[in-house]
Amino acid sequence: MSLFADAFAWLFDAANWAGPNGIPIRTLEHLLYTLVTLVAAGVVGVTLGLYIGHTGKLRGAAVIVTGSLRALPTLGLLFLFALWLGIGLTPVIIVLAILAVPPLLAGTYSGIEAIERSTVDAARAMGMTEWQILAKVEIPLAMPLIVSGLRSAALQVIATATIAAYLPLGGLGRFVFDNLSLRRWDAVIGGAIVVTVLALIVDGLFALLERSVVSRGVRAARSRDGSAAQPARKSVAADAA
Amino acid sequence: MSWVFANVEQIWELTLTHIGLSIPPIVLGFLLSVPLGWVAHRYAVSRSILLTVSGLLYTIPSLSLFLVLPAILGTTQLDPVNVIVAMTIYAIALMVRSAADGFGSVEPSVRQSATAIGYSEWGRFWAVELPLAGPVLVAGMRVVSASTVSLISVGSLIGVSSLGYLFIDGLNRQFTVEILTGIVATIIIAVIFDLALVGLGRLLMPWTRSSAKAQRRRAAARVEVAA
Amino acid sequence: MIQFDHVSKTFPDGTRAVDDFSLTIPSRQTTVFVGSSGCGKTTILRMINRMVDPTGGSIHIDDDDIATLNPVTLRRRIGYVMQNSGLLPHRTVIDNVATVPMLTGVKKSAAHAAALDLLDTVGLDRALADRYPAQLSGGQQQRVGVARGLAIDPNILLMDEPFGAVDPIVRRELQQELLRIQSKLAKTIVFVTHDIDEAFLLGDNVVILRPGGHIVQAGSADEIISAPADDFVADFVGANDGKRDLTVRERNGRRVAVDPSGRIAGVLRAEQPSDA
């Protein structure tokens, strides 16, 4: 347990909070990588997901791609792209984005698929154009699952960005890899703790966001003791891991 | 390619190590999450606690977990046990939710009629709930298996050998073939595990075979976003 | 007037849902398609607002061939009410009713004011305007559905088993409400149901369909009950099993009509000469 005590001593040492290799700067770097990746992956994943969800086309292909990407070893992919594209930020962002696309894609199209067919049918029957159906019906109702996909993607990226520091790159992984070979466990574990706390905070923020994008009307349906509303809630929650 | 043939022995050995590290977390994860998932399904309070805790555990980045565990377990930094325990924690974190959903997917009318014809709660679990939750459990295990096999290699960064060694060595030697070999070997393991799980599911749940496609689709939809 | 000329529909999977269907639906009356599930009645209904496009034949509304009209524009001038109300769950009652007018560019305040009037028309308390669909009963949701269908003041109102999912008592209320609204507004209503009694109650014209959208008999309720075209119709309307038979009996010196279950359906009177 003294390892923990040392790690906390390292964490609360003011020297580790200052300068370009301080915890705040490294955290900002880490968040910056995450943000850039999420924007890139979001454009691709959400757009594709909306297309698949709205048209029902390519769904089978999406399931296969999503499933097989999961089996790809992150570490190998990261190093492979680093060799191909050279050490730097670009290969890392590409790999992180590849990892972030599947949850975003799956969250988006399953969010649309979870909408009652009759709701979309009625929207079309009353004269909404396909774009209006997407913008006024499908996206608002799928929003909680889209955010849930974003949340999974963000956590995945935060974790993998730590590994990317091996390449070498900035971010919180630096604390781990700079000190691992030196066997300075206080800094290694301290760095690991900072990453964990960051992940938990981001997770919590997304959890709040996820809750706030549920429309009030849908929330009313859930809180109501309707037999139809109950399973819907369950399946939405089930997908939100 | 010639590198692969020249190093077949080492690759095979790393593959076996990789498999050896992957199987315990997958099996342990299943054995521990099924009862936890059942409890989560059965009692509303435990559901929110268990699902929240497992959600938080899953949030911890793998590298952090590998590094922090020795401080908790009292193991050395290079001990493979760290990786096995960490992967088991992830497996449980993923699987408890799937198991709870699986038990939740059993039609209440089926459960009630089982009680009505005289099953005890214990008997009903084995004879009715577990088999009917089966398809969702299998779908969950497929996710667990794929992510375990892929994440094990991260352990090589802290010195626990597996196919991940090929990634690090390949990077240091600037040798793409070595990295690609590691990736392909990892995928092959993942695919074999996946086929084994599907096969096991069909073997144990013959009634799902006829509608296997529909079942798969439904079960897959449940867990798709999970990872 | 809606005119079907030799319309057919074969779905991509090869099912022939509608086969050579021809019919003229008169304006400002209620026409009811009735038949068991799979007879193609919903497909025919959905062809009118181009939710389904026929694979053969043509459909005209007044003088326009609808195949030449933009589907979205067409749908915006035809009201549509469906079984599970199809209300947008994330919008309030008032916003649901005002949706289509606002799509066509009506200002929000004007659309809301009109929507409130429509709530009166369909017999809903204005206090429900700010509720969400999930906070309403099934019957109330259907009323909102009808109000939404009427929001653009369409000439044509399509109703696809609108009262199919509510309980019998509420269904009777909604049917009466629809009769009242129709007597006031006189829309061209095309109504789909599998309930023959509902068809006879609501329909000025009743069209009985067999699978493939084949018309077995079309006419008023009177015509169909008094002269069923064949055994299928007689069976369907219950003329064969005596369900609609009334017998005349003497009770306390008066002649009464008795239904098959033995209940008195009414008292018979001789028709009085008008000059008496």
Side-chain angles (χ1 to χ4, degrees):
Chain A
M1 271 310 177
S2 76
L3 273 173
F4 265 127
D6 294 346
F8 279 104
W10 178 87
L11 273 177
F12 292 112
D13 184 347
N16 296 320
W17 287 80
N21 195 29
I23 293 171
I25 297 293
R26 291 296 184 208
T27 307
L28 278 179
E29 279 173 354
H30 210 98
L31 284 174
L32 189 68
Y33 301 158
T34 309
L35 192 71
V36 172
T37 308
L38 284 185
V39 170
V43 170
V44 178
V46 173
T47 311
L48 265 177
L50 290 177
Y51 175 79
I52 293 167
H54 182 78
T55 62
K57 286 179 194 159
L58 296 180
R59 192 190 179 281
V63 172
I64 293 170
V65 170
T66 314
S68 36
L69 274 178
R70 192 177 289 138
L72 266 185
T74 318
L75 192 67
L77 207 60
L78 207 53
F79 290 180
L80 189 66
F81 273 73
L83 282 192
W84 277 345
L85 304 175
I87 305 290
L89 198 53
T90 321
V92 173
I93 298 289
I94 290 177
V95 172
L96 293 181
I98 291 176
L99 295 171
V101 164
L104 279 163
L105 183 69
T108 308
Y109 75 70
S110 49
I112 293 184
E113 276 175 3
I115 301 168
E116 289 265 356
R117 270 5 264 165
S118 63
T119 304
V120 178
D121 192 60
R124 189 168 290 125
M126 73 174 119
M128 285 195 182
T129 63
E130 298 305 307
W131 285 109
Q132 284 167 335
I133 293 174
L134 199 62
K136 291 170 194 276
V137 181
E138 290 177 326
I139 293 178
L141 288 174
M143 211 48 181
L145 274 185
I146 296 177
V147 173
S148 156
L150 196 62
R151 180 178 171 186
S152 302
L155 293 175
Q156 174 97 44
V157 171
I158 288 178
T160 312
T162 319
I163 298 171
Y166 187 86
L167 275 178
L169 208 71
L172 291 167
R174 280 264 56 83
F175 296 121
V176 174
F177 294 115
D178 287 346
N179 298 295
L180 197 59
S181 50
L182 305 175
R183 303 192 167 265
R184 287 192 44 199
W185 300 119
D186 57 342
V188 170
I189 296 176
I193 292 173
V194 177
V195 181
T196 307
V197 170
L198 181 70
L200 289 173
I201 291 174
V202 169
D203 187 49
L205 290 177
F206 272 111
L208 290 180
L209 182 64
E210 209 175 311
R211 206 166 298 180
S212 72
V213 295
V214 179
S215 127
R216 279 179 53 213
V218 176
R219 215 172 300 156
R222 289 183 186 177
S223 60
R224 196 180 152 197
D225 186 27
S227 54
Q230 218 45 31
R233 175 189 199 177
K234 238 184 213 161
S235 72
V236 167
D239 287 340
Chain B
M1 242 358 187
S2 59
W3 177 86
V4 176
F5 289 119
N7 292 278
V8 124
E9 213 161 298
Q10 188 200 14
I11 297 170
W12 179 243
E13 217 150 276
L14 289 172
T15 306
L16 288 182
T17 317
H18 202 101
I19 294 175
L21 285 173
S22 307
I23 289 182
I26 296 175
V27 173
L28 281 174
F30 179 75
L31 293 179
L32 293 171
S33 352
V34 167
L36 286 174
W38 187 82
V39 170
H41 154 73
R42 190 77 170 68
Y43 307 101
V45 184
S46 60
R47 180 182 174 89
S48 56
I49 295 173
L50 280 167
L51 294 190
T52 309
V53 171
S54 58
L56 289 179
L57 287 175
Y58 194 64
T59 305
I60 303 173
S62 52
L63 187 65
S64 297
L65 198 54
F66 292 154
L67 292 168
V68 173
L69 273 176
I72 298 170
L73 301 173
T75 46
T76 64
Q77 301 289 340
L78 294 176
D79 199 330
V81 168
N82 300 330
V83 173
I84 292 180
V85 172
M87 296 321 295
T88 307
I89 291 175
Y90 285 141
I92 295 173
L94 270 176
M95 202 47 206
V96 166
R97 185 180 284 278
S98 285
D101 289 341
F103 292 118
S105 75
V106 179
E107 291 280 337
S109 61
V110 172
R111 209 177 318 128
Q112 280 160 16
S113 65
T115 312
I117 60 174
Y119 275 113
S120 66
E121 192 153 358
W122 182 244
R124 194 183 68 188
F125 172 81
W126 290 105
V128 180
E129 288 175 282
L130 188 61
L132 289 182
V136 181
L137 295 180
V138 170
M141 283 312 291
R142 292 175 70 187
V143 174
V144 168
S145 150
S147 72
T148 304
V149 171
S150 124
L151 271 182
I152 289 279
S153 45
V154 174
S156 349
L157 285 176
I158 54 160
V160 177
S161 191
S162 67
L163 285 170
Y165 169 80
L166 298 178
F167 304 149
I168 296 175
D169 196 49
L171 182 76
N172 291 339
R173 296 169 46 190
Q174 310 253 329
F175 189 37
T176 321
V177 174
E178 189 172 357
I179 297 181
L180 275 173
T181 308
I183 293 180
V184 170
T186 313
I187 291 175
I188 292 175
I189 298 177
V191 169
I192 292 174
F193 278 18
D194 196 56
L195 291 176
L197 282 169
V198 173
L200 207 63
R202 296 228 181 130
L203 195 70
L204 295 175
M205 299 177 290
W207 65 91
T208 59
R209 273 178 225 162
S210 55
S211 60
K213 211 169 173 185
Q215 289 274 8
R216 259 209 309 280
R217 208 180 148 129
R218 222 173 310 143
R222 279 174 177 277
V223 275
E224 226 152 70
V225 197
Chain C
M1 191 181 72
I2 305 169
Q3 196 176 338
F4 289 83
D5 285 306
H6 305 287
V7 169
S8 59
K9 174 69 189 179
T10 310
F11 283 106
D13 65 356
T15 346
R16 198 159 176 81
V18 178
D19 180 31
D20 195 28
F21 178 84
S22 295
L23 181 77
T24 301
I25 294 173
S27 297
R28 305 199 161 270
Q29 292 188 1
T30 303
T31 300
V32 180
F33 293 145
V34 61
S36 37
S37 49
C39 71
K41 53 189 191 294
T42 296
T43 307
I44 296 172
L45 182 88
R46 287 163 71 89
M47 286 183 190
I48 299 173
N49 65 352
R50 293 199 58 187
M51 288 293 282
V52 174
D53 278 325
T55 42
S58 65
I59 303 166
H60 287 77
I61 293 179
D62 297 326
D63 290 322
D64 296 329
D65 182 344
I66 62 166
T68 65
L69 303 177
N70 176 303
V72 169
T73 335
L74 176 72
R75 289 171 198 152
R76 285 188 189 170
R77 43 177 256 233
I78 296 179
Y80 189 85
V81 185
M82 59 198 283
Q83 180 162 15
N84 287 311
S85 80
L87 298 175
L88 303 180
H90 58 306
R91 296 197 175 182
T92 57
V93 165
I94 190 89
D95 282 328
N96 261 289
V97 176
T99 301
V100 191
M102 281 166 65
L103 284 180
T104 57
V106 177
K107 284 230 174 64
K108 187 173 174 176
S109 55
H112 274 201
L116 281 175
D117 288 340
L118 275 168
L119 293 187
D120 298 339
T121 308
V122 299
L124 271 180
D125 191 340
R126 285 180 175 221
L128 299 177
D130 292 325
R131 297 264 185 98
Y132 287 100
Q135 297 166 324
L136 304 181
S137 71
Q140 288 169 329
Q141 290 182 18
Q142 281 317 123
R143 285 174 196 260
V144 179
V146 174
R148 184 176 67 180
L150 293 170
I152 32 148
D153 193 23
N155 291 324
I156 299 172
L157 185 61
L158 307 180
M159 307 185 82
D160 185 5
E161 304 208 32
F163 311 141
V166 293
D167 69 63
I169 297 173
V170 177
R171 188 179 315 152
R172 233 162 287 151
E173 269 173 40
L174 291 171
Q175 289 166 344
Q176 291 307 323
E177 199 77 36
L178 181 63
L179 285 172
R180 190 182 57 74
I181 294 171
Q182 173 66 346
S183 71
K184 224 167 58 183
L185 303 179
K187 302 287 183 191
T188 305
I189 296 181
V190 186
F191 192 105
V192 158
T193 179
H194 57 258
D195 176 354
I196 187 71
D197 291 316
E198 183 169 69
F200 286 155
L201 175 68
L202 300 176
D204 300 307
N205 318 290
V206 174
V207 180
I208 300 181
L209 297 170
R210 244 185 325 133
H214 293 289
I215 299 177
V216 194
Q217 188 171 9
S220 67
D222 291 3
E223 289 161 3
I224 294 175
I225 295 177
S226 56
D230 58 18
D231 273 359
F232 176 84
V233 176
D235 212 40
F236 195 66
V237 304
N240 266 356
D241 55 13
K243 200 177 96 186
R244 299 199 185 268
D245 292 354
L246 296 179
T247 29
V248 178
R249 299 239 172 84
E250 291 275 337
R251 289 277 162 86
N252 304 325
R254 304 183 77 169
R255 304 206 307 147
V256 295
V258 179
D259 72 13
S261 61
R263 273 195 214 95
I264 293 173
V267 180
L268 296 187
R269 287 178 198 279
E271 219 171 322
Q272 304 276 334
S274 54
D275 57 355

